[in-house]
Amino acid sequence: MKKLNIIIYTFLSFILMTGCDRGFEELNLDPNASTAVPAHLLLGGPQRIYMNSMYGAQAGGDMGACWSQHWSKVQYNDEARYVPRRGVIDGIWSTMYASVISESKAMYNLAEAEGNNSLMGAGLVMQAVGYQTLVDFYGPIPFTESIDGNILQPTYDSETVVYEGIIQMLTDASAMLASGNGTITSSSDLFYGGDASKWVKLANSLKFRALMRISATRNVGAELQALMGKMFTSNADSAQLTYLEAAPDANPIWETIVDGNRAEYKINSVLVETMTALNDDRLAVYAGENASGNIVGKPSGFGAQTTLPNEGLGYTYANISPLGAKYLTATLPGVLMSYSQLSFLIAQAANEGYISGGITSAQDWYTEGIKASFEFNGVSSTAYLAQGSIGFSTQADGRTKIATQEWIALFGQGFESWTEWRRNKIPVLAPAAESLLDQVPSRLFYPTTEPSLNKTSYDAAVQTLGGDNLTAPLFWQ
Protein backbone atom coordinates (compact mmCIF):
# COMPACT_ATOMS: atom_id res chain seq x y z
CA MET A 1 0.00 0.00 0.00
CA LYS A 2 2.80 2.37 0.92
CA LYS A 3 4.47 1.65 -2.44
CA LEU A 4 1.23 2.38 -4.27
CA ASN A 5 0.87 5.72 -2.48
CA ILE A 6 4.39 6.72 -3.58
CA ILE A 7 3.56 5.87 -7.19
CA ILE A 8 0.32 7.88 -7.09
CA TYR A 9 2.08 10.86 -5.43
CA THR A 10 4.84 10.86 -8.03
CA PHE A 11 2.29 10.69 -10.87
CA LEU A 12 0.23 13.60 -9.49
CA SER A 13 3.39 15.68 -8.97
CA PHE A 14 4.37 15.12 -12.58
CA ILE A 15 0.94 16.30 -13.77
CA LEU A 16 1.09 19.39 -11.62
CA MET A 17 4.62 20.25 -12.73
CA THR A 18 3.91 19.85 -16.44
CA GLY A 19 0.59 21.61 -16.09
CA CYS A 20 2.19 24.63 -14.41
CA ASP A 21 4.86 24.77 -17.08
CA ARG A 22 2.35 24.91 -19.94
CA GLY A 23 2.13 28.50 -21.22
CA PHE A 24 4.90 29.60 -18.85
CA GLU A 25 6.77 31.46 -21.63
CA GLU A 26 3.69 33.42 -22.59
CA LEU A 27 2.95 34.38 -18.98
CA ASN A 28 6.46 35.79 -18.57
CA LEU A 29 6.45 37.95 -21.69
CA ASP A 30 5.83 41.67 -21.22
CA PRO A 31 3.38 42.61 -23.99
CA ASN A 32 4.59 46.23 -23.73
CA ALA A 33 8.29 45.44 -24.14
CA SER A 34 9.96 45.54 -27.57
CA THR A 35 11.51 42.34 -28.89
CA ALA A 36 13.22 44.25 -31.70
CA VAL A 37 14.52 47.81 -31.87
CA PRO A 38 13.11 49.91 -34.71
CA ALA A 39 16.02 51.36 -36.67
CA HIS A 40 14.84 54.97 -36.44
CA LEU A 41 15.27 54.99 -32.66
CA LEU A 42 19.05 54.91 -33.16
CA LEU A 43 19.23 58.13 -35.21
CA GLY A 44 18.83 60.84 -32.58
CA GLY A 45 21.54 59.49 -30.29
CA PRO A 46 24.47 59.80 -32.72
CA GLN A 47 23.22 63.21 -33.87
CA ARG A 48 23.06 64.62 -30.35
CA ILE A 49 26.24 62.94 -29.10
CA TYR A 50 28.22 64.15 -32.11
CA MET A 51 27.10 67.75 -31.73
CA ASN A 52 27.73 67.71 -27.98
CA SER A 53 31.24 66.39 -28.58
CA MET A 54 32.01 69.14 -31.10
CA TYR A 55 30.45 71.95 -29.06
CA GLY A 56 31.78 71.02 -25.64
CA ALA A 57 33.76 74.00 -24.34
CA GLN A 58 36.60 71.78 -23.08
CA ALA A 59 36.99 70.34 -26.60
CA GLY A 60 35.66 72.52 -29.42
CA GLY A 61 36.30 75.60 -27.29
CA ASP A 62 39.65 75.01 -25.57
CA MET A 63 41.16 73.42 -28.67
CA GLY A 64 39.08 74.31 -31.74
CA ALA A 65 37.99 77.90 -31.11
CA CYS A 66 41.11 78.89 -29.19
CA TRP A 67 43.41 77.35 -31.82
CA SER A 68 41.59 79.11 -34.66
CA GLN A 69 41.91 82.28 -32.53
CA HIS A 70 38.21 83.03 -32.33
CA TRP A 71 38.24 82.58 -28.54
CA SER A 72 40.85 83.28 -25.89
CA LYS A 73 41.02 82.70 -22.15
CA VAL A 74 42.01 84.86 -19.20
CA GLN A 75 42.63 81.86 -16.93
CA TYR A 76 43.20 78.08 -17.17
CA ASN A 77 45.10 78.60 -20.40
CA ASP A 78 47.01 75.34 -20.92
CA GLU A 79 44.92 74.12 -23.87
CA ALA A 80 45.08 77.53 -25.53
CA ARG A 81 48.89 77.26 -25.28
CA TYR A 82 48.72 73.86 -26.99
CA VAL A 83 48.91 71.68 -23.90
CA PRO A 84 45.63 69.82 -24.35
CA ARG A 85 44.13 67.40 -21.85
CA ARG A 86 44.83 63.91 -23.04
CA GLY A 87 41.63 62.62 -21.45
CA VAL A 88 39.54 64.97 -23.62
CA ILE A 89 41.39 63.82 -26.75
CA ASP A 90 40.86 60.18 -25.73
CA GLY A 91 37.18 60.93 -25.26
CA ILE A 92 36.73 62.31 -28.77
CA TRP A 93 38.21 59.13 -30.28
CA SER A 94 36.06 56.79 -28.20
CA THR A 95 32.91 58.87 -28.70
CA MET A 96 33.27 58.87 -32.48
CA TYR A 97 33.81 55.12 -32.67
CA ALA A 98 31.51 53.87 -29.91
CA SER A 99 28.64 56.34 -29.98
CA VAL A 100 28.55 57.88 -33.45
CA ILE A 101 29.95 55.39 -35.95
CA SER A 102 28.99 52.17 -34.16
CA GLU A 103 25.43 53.30 -33.38
CA SER A 104 24.97 54.63 -36.91
CA LYS A 105 26.22 51.37 -38.37
CA ALA A 106 23.81 49.43 -36.14
CA MET A 107 21.00 51.69 -37.39
CA TYR A 108 22.07 51.05 -40.97
CA ASN A 109 21.95 47.27 -40.42
CA LEU A 110 18.51 47.42 -38.80
CA ALA A 111 17.22 49.70 -41.53
CA GLU A 112 18.55 47.30 -44.15
CA ALA A 113 16.59 44.47 -42.52
CA GLU A 114 13.51 46.71 -42.61
CA GLY A 115 14.07 47.61 -46.28
CA ASN A 116 14.29 51.31 -45.36
CA ASN A 117 16.70 52.92 -47.83
CA SER A 118 16.16 56.43 -46.50
CA LEU A 119 17.25 55.49 -43.02
CA MET A 120 20.16 53.48 -44.39
CA GLY A 121 21.27 56.65 -46.17
CA ALA A 122 21.05 58.69 -42.97
CA GLY A 123 23.10 56.01 -41.21
CA LEU A 124 25.81 56.25 -43.86
CA VAL A 125 25.88 60.04 -43.58
CA MET A 126 26.44 59.86 -39.83
CA GLN A 127 29.16 57.22 -40.23
CA ALA A 128 30.90 59.41 -42.80
CA VAL A 129 30.70 62.38 -40.45
CA GLY A 130 32.29 60.38 -37.64
CA TYR A 131 35.09 58.99 -39.80
CA GLN A 132 35.90 62.36 -41.36
CA THR A 133 36.12 63.93 -37.93
CA LEU A 134 38.57 61.25 -36.84
CA VAL A 135 40.79 61.37 -39.92
CA ASP A 136 40.84 65.19 -39.85
CA PHE A 137 41.79 65.24 -36.17
CA TYR A 138 44.28 62.38 -35.95
CA GLY A 139 45.47 61.28 -39.41
CA PRO A 140 45.57 57.54 -40.25
CA ILE A 141 42.81 55.71 -38.34
CA PRO A 142 41.12 52.29 -38.24
CA PHE A 143 38.56 52.30 -41.06
CA THR A 144 38.29 49.14 -43.15
CA GLU A 145 38.73 46.92 -40.06
CA SER A 146 36.94 49.14 -37.55
CA ILE A 147 33.71 48.35 -35.66
CA ASP A 148 34.27 44.61 -35.98
CA GLY A 149 34.12 42.66 -32.74
CA ASN A 150 36.25 39.93 -34.27
CA ILE A 151 39.15 42.33 -34.91
CA LEU A 152 40.56 43.64 -31.66
CA GLN A 153 43.63 45.29 -33.18
CA PRO A 154 42.46 46.90 -36.42
CA THR A 155 44.89 48.24 -38.97
CA TYR A 156 45.19 52.01 -39.30
CA ASP A 157 44.28 52.90 -42.89
CA SER A 158 46.01 55.73 -44.71
CA GLU A 159 44.26 59.09 -44.84
CA THR A 160 43.75 58.61 -48.59
CA VAL A 161 41.95 55.29 -48.09
CA VAL A 162 39.74 56.76 -45.37
CA TYR A 163 38.84 59.81 -47.43
CA GLU A 164 37.95 57.80 -50.51
CA GLY A 165 35.79 55.60 -48.29
CA ILE A 166 34.04 58.62 -46.81
CA ILE A 167 33.33 60.06 -50.26
CA GLN A 168 31.90 56.71 -51.39
CA MET A 169 29.72 56.53 -48.27
CA LEU A 170 28.27 59.96 -49.04
CA THR A 171 27.73 59.03 -52.69
CA ASP A 172 25.86 55.87 -51.67
CA ALA A 173 23.92 57.74 -49.01
CA SER A 174 22.71 60.34 -51.50
CA ALA A 175 21.44 57.62 -53.84
CA MET A 176 19.67 55.74 -51.06
CA LEU A 177 18.03 58.88 -49.70
CA ALA A 178 16.92 59.97 -53.17
CA SER A 179 15.42 56.57 -53.99
CA GLY A 180 12.17 57.30 -52.15
CA ASN A 181 12.20 53.86 -50.54
CA GLY A 182 11.52 54.09 -46.82
CA THR A 183 11.02 56.94 -44.41
CA ILE A 184 12.80 58.75 -41.60
CA THR A 185 10.59 59.11 -38.53
CA SER A 186 10.27 62.82 -37.81
CA SER A 187 10.49 62.55 -34.02
CA SER A 188 13.78 60.64 -34.25
CA ASP A 189 15.53 63.07 -36.60
CA LEU A 190 17.07 66.00 -34.73
CA PHE A 191 18.38 67.69 -37.88
CA TYR A 192 15.52 67.68 -40.38
CA GLY A 193 12.45 66.22 -38.71
CA GLY A 194 12.36 63.31 -41.14
CA ASP A 195 12.72 65.28 -44.40
CA ALA A 196 14.70 62.90 -46.62
CA SER A 197 15.10 65.54 -49.36
CA LYS A 198 17.14 67.67 -46.97
CA TRP A 199 19.26 64.65 -46.08
CA VAL A 200 20.05 64.26 -49.80
CA LYS A 201 21.30 67.86 -49.86
CA LEU A 202 23.31 67.24 -46.70
CA ALA A 203 25.00 64.14 -48.12
CA ASN A 204 25.94 66.05 -51.28
CA SER A 205 27.08 69.16 -49.37
CA LEU A 206 29.25 67.09 -47.04
CA LYS A 207 30.73 65.35 -50.07
CA PHE A 208 31.56 68.74 -51.61
CA ARG A 209 33.26 69.78 -48.36
CA ALA A 210 35.24 66.52 -48.20
CA LEU A 211 36.39 66.92 -51.81
CA MET A 212 37.47 70.50 -51.19
CA ARG A 213 39.43 69.40 -48.15
CA ILE A 214 41.53 67.03 -50.25
CA SER A 215 41.60 69.27 -53.33
CA ALA A 216 45.35 69.82 -52.94
CA THR A 217 46.00 66.07 -53.16
CA ARG A 218 44.16 65.06 -56.36
CA ASN A 219 41.92 66.31 -59.15
CA VAL A 220 38.43 66.81 -57.73
CA GLY A 221 36.94 69.11 -60.37
CA ALA A 222 34.61 66.70 -62.16
CA GLU A 223 33.17 65.39 -58.90
CA LEU A 224 32.61 68.91 -57.57
CA GLN A 225 30.94 70.04 -60.80
CA ALA A 226 28.61 67.04 -60.71
CA LEU A 227 27.31 68.13 -57.29
CA MET A 228 26.28 71.62 -58.38
CA GLY A 229 22.53 72.15 -58.05
CA LYS A 230 22.16 69.19 -55.69
CA MET A 231 23.21 70.78 -52.40
CA PHE A 232 21.97 73.34 -49.86
CA THR A 233 20.15 76.31 -51.38
CA SER A 234 19.48 78.46 -48.27
CA ASN A 235 19.96 78.62 -44.52
CA ALA A 236 16.84 76.50 -44.20
CA ASP A 237 18.86 73.55 -45.50
CA SER A 238 21.73 73.88 -42.99
CA ALA A 239 22.26 70.79 -40.85
CA GLN A 240 21.87 71.87 -37.25
CA LEU A 241 20.54 70.59 -33.95
CA THR A 242 18.22 72.81 -31.93
CA TYR A 243 19.08 72.69 -28.25
CA LEU A 244 16.61 73.17 -25.39
CA GLU A 245 16.57 75.75 -22.59
CA ALA A 246 17.96 73.69 -19.71
CA ALA A 247 20.79 71.24 -19.00
CA PRO A 248 21.47 68.52 -19.98
CA ASP A 249 19.76 69.33 -23.28
CA ALA A 250 21.08 72.88 -23.72
CA ASN A 251 23.95 73.92 -25.96
CA PRO A 252 27.17 72.69 -24.28
CA ILE A 253 28.77 76.14 -24.61
CA TRP A 254 25.99 77.62 -22.45
CA GLU A 255 26.14 74.68 -20.05
CA THR A 256 29.84 75.32 -19.38
CA ILE A 257 30.21 79.09 -19.56
CA VAL A 258 26.86 80.28 -18.21
CA ASP A 259 25.34 77.43 -16.24
CA GLY A 260 28.77 76.23 -15.09
CA ASN A 261 29.99 79.78 -14.36
CA ARG A 262 33.20 79.42 -16.39
CA ALA A 263 33.62 83.05 -17.42
CA GLU A 264 37.28 82.65 -18.37
CA TYR A 265 36.23 82.01 -21.98
CA LYS A 266 36.63 85.30 -23.88
CA ILE A 267 36.90 86.77 -27.36
CA ASN A 268 40.23 86.76 -29.24
CA SER A 269 41.95 89.99 -30.24
CA VAL A 270 42.75 88.63 -33.72
CA LEU A 271 39.05 88.23 -34.44
CA VAL A 272 38.24 91.66 -33.00
CA GLU A 273 40.96 93.39 -35.03
CA THR A 274 40.04 91.58 -38.26
CA MET A 275 36.33 92.32 -38.00
CA THR A 276 36.86 95.91 -36.83
CA ALA A 277 39.02 96.62 -39.87
CA LEU A 278 36.21 95.30 -42.08
CA ASN A 279 33.48 97.35 -40.32
CA ASP A 280 31.76 94.05 -39.61
CA ASP A 281 28.50 94.38 -37.67
CA ARG A 282 28.63 90.70 -36.73
CA LEU A 283 31.31 91.56 -34.17
CA ALA A 284 28.65 92.98 -31.83
CA VAL A 285 26.88 89.61 -32.05
CA TYR A 286 30.01 87.51 -31.63
CA ALA A 287 31.34 89.51 -28.67
CA GLY A 288 29.83 91.21 -25.65
CA GLU A 289 30.99 94.46 -24.11
CA ASN A 290 33.56 94.53 -21.35
CA ALA A 291 33.00 96.32 -18.02
CA SER A 292 33.74 99.67 -19.71
CA GLY A 293 31.23 99.14 -22.51
CA ASN A 294 33.82 98.29 -25.19
CA ILE A 295 34.66 95.21 -27.22
CA VAL A 296 38.22 94.20 -26.34
CA GLY A 297 39.93 90.92 -27.21
CA LYS A 298 42.92 89.12 -25.77
CA PRO A 299 45.74 87.47 -27.77
CA SER A 300 46.10 83.71 -27.63
CA GLY A 301 48.27 82.29 -24.90
CA PHE A 302 50.09 83.57 -21.83
CA GLY A 303 49.69 81.89 -18.47
CA ALA A 304 53.10 80.19 -18.31
CA GLN A 305 55.67 82.88 -17.55
CA THR A 306 52.97 85.56 -17.48
CA THR A 307 50.37 84.98 -14.79
CA LEU A 308 46.72 85.17 -15.78
CA PRO A 309 44.52 87.08 -15.03
CA ASN A 310 46.93 90.00 -15.48
CA GLU A 311 45.99 93.52 -14.41
CA GLY A 312 49.12 95.06 -15.90
CA LEU A 313 48.37 93.77 -19.40
CA GLY A 314 44.64 94.25 -19.02
CA TYR A 315 43.95 90.54 -19.48
CA THR A 316 41.28 90.33 -16.81
CA TYR A 317 37.75 89.04 -16.46
CA ALA A 318 36.40 92.59 -16.46
CA ASN A 319 38.47 94.04 -19.29
CA ILE A 320 38.31 91.30 -21.95
CA SER A 321 35.01 90.87 -23.74
CA PRO A 322 32.98 87.72 -23.27
CA LEU A 323 31.25 85.88 -26.09
CA GLY A 324 28.13 87.65 -27.32
CA ALA A 325 24.68 86.94 -25.89
CA LYS A 326 23.60 84.90 -28.93
CA TYR A 327 26.52 82.52 -28.50
CA LEU A 328 25.86 82.15 -24.77
CA THR A 329 22.24 81.17 -25.28
CA ALA A 330 21.05 77.74 -24.16
CA THR A 331 19.12 77.26 -27.41
CA LEU A 332 21.97 78.25 -29.76
CA PRO A 333 21.81 75.63 -32.57
CA GLY A 334 24.66 73.19 -32.95
CA VAL A 335 25.70 73.44 -36.61
CA LEU A 336 27.05 70.41 -38.45
CA MET A 337 27.31 72.23 -41.78
CA SER A 338 25.85 75.55 -42.89
CA TYR A 339 24.72 76.99 -46.18
CA SER A 340 27.14 79.85 -45.54
CA GLN A 341 30.11 77.49 -45.38
CA LEU A 342 28.99 75.64 -48.50
CA SER A 343 28.73 78.95 -50.37
CA PHE A 344 32.30 79.87 -49.48
CA LEU A 345 33.52 76.43 -50.54
CA ILE A 346 31.74 76.80 -53.90
CA ALA A 347 33.25 80.28 -54.25
CA GLN A 348 36.69 78.84 -53.62
CA ALA A 349 36.11 76.01 -56.09
CA ALA A 350 35.12 78.50 -58.78
CA ASN A 351 38.01 80.82 -57.94
CA GLU A 352 40.51 77.96 -58.22
CA GLY A 353 39.02 76.70 -61.48
CA TYR A 354 37.76 73.40 -60.07
CA ILE A 355 34.25 74.18 -61.31
CA SER A 356 32.96 76.45 -64.07
CA GLY A 357 32.19 80.14 -63.65
CA GLY A 358 35.55 81.66 -62.84
CA ILE A 359 35.94 84.81 -60.77
CA THR A 360 32.44 86.08 -61.59
CA SER A 361 30.84 82.96 -60.13
CA ALA A 362 33.28 82.99 -57.23
CA GLN A 363 32.25 86.55 -56.37
CA ASP A 364 28.55 85.61 -56.50
CA TRP A 365 28.96 82.64 -54.17
CA TYR A 366 31.24 84.63 -51.88
CA THR A 367 28.52 87.28 -51.57
CA GLU A 368 25.96 84.54 -50.94
CA GLY A 369 28.08 83.14 -48.13
CA ILE A 370 28.36 86.54 -46.47
CA LYS A 371 24.61 87.14 -46.75
CA ALA A 372 23.84 83.73 -45.24
CA SER A 373 26.19 84.34 -42.31
CA PHE A 374 24.74 87.77 -41.59
CA GLU A 375 21.22 86.31 -41.78
CA PHE A 376 22.09 83.55 -39.31
CA ASN A 377 23.39 86.20 -36.93
CA GLY A 378 20.34 88.44 -37.34
CA VAL A 379 22.22 91.34 -38.95
CA SER A 380 21.72 93.13 -42.28
CA SER A 381 24.57 92.65 -44.76
CA THR A 382 23.59 95.53 -47.08
CA ALA A 383 26.01 98.16 -45.78
CA TYR A 384 28.80 95.64 -45.36
CA LEU A 385 28.61 94.42 -48.94
CA ALA A 386 28.41 97.98 -50.25
CA GLN A 387 32.01 98.55 -49.15
CA GLY A 388 34.30 98.40 -52.14
CA SER A 389 37.00 96.71 -50.11
CA ILE A 390 34.87 93.60 -49.55
CA GLY A 391 34.84 92.47 -53.17
CA PHE A 392 37.67 91.10 -55.30
CA SER A 393 38.63 91.02 -58.96
CA THR A 394 41.68 88.74 -59.04
CA GLN A 395 42.20 85.12 -58.14
CA ALA A 396 44.86 85.93 -55.54
CA ASP A 397 42.70 88.52 -53.81
CA GLY A 398 39.72 86.19 -53.99
CA ARG A 399 41.69 83.37 -52.40
CA THR A 400 42.48 85.51 -49.36
CA LYS A 401 39.07 87.12 -49.00
CA ILE A 402 37.03 83.94 -49.43
CA ALA A 403 39.08 82.09 -46.80
CA THR A 404 38.94 85.06 -44.42
CA GLN A 405 35.17 85.35 -44.71
CA GLU A 406 34.74 81.60 -44.19
CA TRP A 407 36.92 81.84 -41.06
CA ILE A 408 34.77 84.69 -39.74
CA ALA A 409 31.51 82.89 -40.57
CA LEU A 410 32.60 79.72 -38.76
CA PHE A 411 32.59 81.52 -35.41
CA GLY A 412 30.96 79.27 -32.82
CA GLN A 413 31.95 76.09 -34.67
CA GLY A 414 35.25 75.66 -32.88
CA PHE A 415 36.63 72.49 -34.43
CA GLU A 416 35.40 73.28 -37.92
CA SER A 417 36.93 76.76 -37.80
CA TRP A 418 40.27 75.21 -36.77
CA THR A 419 40.05 72.51 -39.44
CA GLU A 420 39.29 74.90 -42.29
CA TRP A 421 42.01 77.25 -41.06
CA ARG A 422 44.44 74.33 -41.18
CA ARG A 423 43.50 73.83 -44.83
CA ASN A 424 43.59 77.47 -45.93
CA LYS A 425 46.13 78.97 -43.48
CA ILE A 426 44.20 82.24 -43.87
CA PRO A 427 44.23 84.60 -42.03
CA VAL A 428 47.84 84.37 -40.91
CA LEU A 429 47.89 83.32 -37.25
CA ALA A 430 50.89 83.59 -34.96
CA PRO A 431 51.29 80.77 -32.43
CA ALA A 432 49.97 81.38 -28.94
CA ALA A 433 52.19 83.40 -26.61
CA GLU A 434 54.32 81.32 -24.23
CA SER A 435 53.55 78.12 -26.11
CA LEU A 436 56.06 75.29 -26.35
CA LEU A 437 55.20 75.02 -30.06
CA ASP A 438 56.25 77.38 -32.82
CA GLN A 439 53.03 76.87 -34.82
CA VAL A 440 49.31 76.31 -34.43
CA PRO A 441 48.63 72.56 -33.96
CA SER A 442 47.88 70.62 -37.13
CA ARG A 443 46.33 67.55 -35.46
CA LEU A 444 45.54 65.90 -32.14
CA PHE A 445 47.57 63.26 -30.32
CA TYR A 446 46.39 59.67 -30.71
CA PRO A 447 44.58 58.33 -27.63
CA THR A 448 46.82 57.30 -24.74
CA THR A 449 45.42 53.76 -24.84
CA GLU A 450 46.42 52.98 -28.43
CA PRO A 451 50.15 52.28 -27.82
CA SER A 452 49.20 49.47 -25.45
CA LEU A 453 45.95 48.16 -26.97
CA ASN A 454 46.92 48.34 -30.65
CA LYS A 455 50.66 48.90 -30.65
CA THR A 456 51.62 47.47 -34.05
CA SER A 457 49.02 49.49 -35.93
CA TYR A 458 49.69 52.57 -33.83
CA ASP A 459 53.44 52.40 -34.45
CA ALA A 460 52.92 52.07 -38.20
CA ALA A 461 50.61 55.10 -38.28
CA VAL A 462 52.98 57.20 -36.20
CA GLN A 463 55.83 56.34 -38.55
CA THR A 464 53.89 57.62 -41.55
CA LEU A 465 53.18 60.87 -39.69
CA GLY A 466 56.75 61.35 -38.59
CA GLY A 467 55.76 61.22 -34.92
CA ASP A 468 52.68 61.36 -32.72
CA ASN A 469 52.87 65.07 -32.13
CA LEU A 470 50.59 68.07 -32.53
CA THR A 471 52.54 69.54 -35.43
CA ALA A 472 52.70 66.47 -37.69
CA PRO A 473 51.08 67.52 -41.00
CA LEU A 474 48.09 65.64 -42.39
CA PHE A 475 48.07 64.66 -46.06
CA TRP A 476 45.71 67.45 -47.13
CA GLN A 477 47.53 70.27 -45.34
Side-chain angles (χ1 to χ4, degrees), residues 346-359:
I346 297 173
Q348 188 178 55
N351 191 61
E352 299 299 329
Y354 300 150
I355 62 174
S356 62
I359 290 178

Side-chain angles (χ1 to χ4, degrees), residues 163-441:
Y163 250 94
E164 295 306 324
I166 290 166
I167 290 166
Q168 188 60 54
M169 280 182 170
L170 293 170
T171 301
D172 294 343
S174 177
M176 290 175 180
L177 288 156
S179 70
N181 295 326
T183 59
I184 301 174
T185 302
S186 60
S187 59
S188 297
D189 179 7
L190 303 182
F191 290 162
Y192 294 124
D195 189 338
S197 67
K198 289 187 181 294
W199 276 93
V200 174
K201 293 180 180 180
L202 173 60
N204 292 332
S205 299
L206 288 170
K207 181 179 175 181
F208 196 97
R209 186 169 74 178
L211 288 165
M212 284 300 294
R213 195 149 291 162
I214 63 169
S215 59
T217 70
R218 70 168 177 82
N219 190 335
V220 297
E223 293 162 278
L224 292 172
Q225 189 67 56
L227 291 167
M228 294 301 294
K230 302 175 184 178
M231 301 178 288
F232 298 159
T233 57
S234 71
N235 280 345
D237 291 331
S238 297
Q240 58 187 40
L241 186 153
T242 300
Y243 283 103
L244 304 182
E245 293 183 352
D249 299 313
N251 187 294
I253 296 173
W254 175 88
E255 289 186 356
T256 296
I257 300 177
V258 179
D259 199 41
N261 195 28
R262 296 292 300 274
E264 72 268 17
Y265 291 93
K266 301 287 186 177
I267 209 74
N268 197 293
S269 58
V270 173
L271 184 72
V272 173
E273 291 162 7
T274 301
M275 297 182 75
T276 299
L278 293 170
N279 299 309
D280 196 325
D281 292 335
R282 288 172 293 181
L283 179 58
V285 180
Y286 289 1
E289 295 178 347
N290 68 4
S292 300
N294 301 312
I295 294 179
V296 177
K298 171 192 163 291
S300 294
F302 298 103
Q305 293 82 32
T306 304
T307 303
L308 289 174
N310 192 292
E311 292 284 350
L313 293 174
Y315 302 152
T316 66
Y317 281 85
N319 194 49
I320 303 301
S321 293
L323 275 63
K326 177 183 177 69
Y327 289 87
L328 293 179
T329 302
T331 55
L332 175 72
V335 180
L336 172 62
M337 185 175 180
S338 69
Y339 174 59
S340 174
Q341 185 185 17
L342 174 65
S343 298
F344 290 124
L345 292 172
I346 297 173
Q348 188 178 55
N351 191 61
E352 299 299 329
Y354 300 150
I355 62 174
S356 62
I359 290 178
T360 300
S361 179
Q363 176 73 266
D364 290 342
W365 281 107
Y366 166 79
T367 300
E368 189 71 6
I370 292 172
K371 287 180 178 178
S373 175
F374 271 75
E375 180 184 290
F376 176 82
N377 287 285
V379 182
S380 171
S381 61
T382 303
Y384 187 72
L385 290 169
Q387 300 178 101
S389 59
I390 296 299
F392 59 87
S393 58
T394 67
Q395 184 187 57
D397 195 27
R399 187 175 293 133
T400 298
K401 288 182 176 178
I402 293 167
T404 298
Q405 287 294 334
E406 185 193 17
W407 175 77
I408 293 171
L410 285 172
F411 182 82
Q413 294 176 248
F415 275 131
E416 187 62 21
S417 66
W418 170 58
T419 296
E420 276 295 273
W421 181 85
R422 287 183 288 153
R423 182 175 71 88
N424 294 315
K425 300 294 193 299
I426 297 171
V428 175
L429 300 179
E434 300 179 8
S435 166
L436 296 178
L437 304 180
D438 61 359
Q439 66 182 74
V440 176

Side-chain angles (χ1 to χ4, degrees), residues 22-55:
R22 189 175 298 116
F24 183 78
E25 294 85 353
E26 289 79 3
L27 288 172
N28 281 276
L29 287 177
D30 182 355
N32 297 315
S34 298
T35 56
V37 177
H40 72 86
L41 293 179
L42 298 184
L43 177 57
Q47 289 177 312
R48 181 177 181 274
I49 291 168
Y50 179 81
M51 297 313 305
N52 284 358
S53 181
M54 294 299 98
Y55 272 77

